[in-house]
Amino acid sequence: MNISGKSIRPFIGSKNYSISRNFYTDLGFEEVITSGKMSYFYIKEFGFYLQDAYVKDWVDNSMIFLEVDNLESTLKKVQSLKLTEKYENVRLSKIVHKVWGNEFFLHDPSGILWHFGKFNSAKQ
């Protein structure tokens, strides 16, 4: 199959849509409201749809990997936002070193797990 794509945009849920919208804006995403129950959040060429929908099993198992150029400076930037102090249930880890590269983790207010990472090679 030969598919030529331009972007991939996952849909994620939120336990409290208003709080999640504020969280992602604070994290640095731009918001485009697409309907009363959904917004598109983006940084440059990539993004995702946030829905005013909560299914515990779905949200608890949702993960997003965001590859970054500089993991250390990204972690410092996220730490400076003090999201763990501002939002209930938000957790931020230290950098974890793996065989394939390095990453740190950020749980959003609903429990969505974000992996911020840098690969050792471009073919991951």
Side-chain angles (χ1 to χ4, degrees), residues 47-66:
F48 62 93
Y49 293 99
L50 178 71
Q51 299 177 89
D52 185 8
Y54 181 72
V55 176
K56 183 175 176 18
D57 286 344
W58 170 46
V59 170
D60 286 351
N61 287 287
S62 292
M63 293 186 273
I64 299 175
F65 187 97
L66 177 58

Side-chain angles (χ1 to χ4, degrees), residues 2-61:
N2 186 5
I3 297 174
S4 178
K6 293 177 76 174
S7 72
I8 190 164
R9 299 177 180 191
F11 289 75
I12 63 172
S14 59
K15 196 171 197 175
N16 182 311
Y17 185 58
S18 178
I19 289 173
S20 291
R21 288 176 63 203
N22 291 336
F23 172 82
Y24 286 112
T25 300
D26 287 349
L27 189 55
F29 286 89
E30 297 289 327
E31 179 183 17
V32 176
I33 298 170
T34 59
S35 73
K37 293 189 173 256
M38 187 164 54
S39 291
Y40 176 65
F41 284 87
Y42 69 95
I43 295 175
K44 296 184 181 179
E45 295 88 30
F46 62 88
F48 62 93
Y49 293 99
L50 178 71
Q51 299 177 89
D52 185 8
Y54 181 72
V55 176
K56 183 175 176 18
D57 286 344
W58 170 46
V59 170
D60 286 351
N61 287 287

Side-chain angles (χ1 to χ4, degrees), residues 67 100 119-124:
E67 183 180 6
W100 56 264
F119 294 110
N120 290 333
S121 70
K123 295 187 178 185
Q124 295 292 327

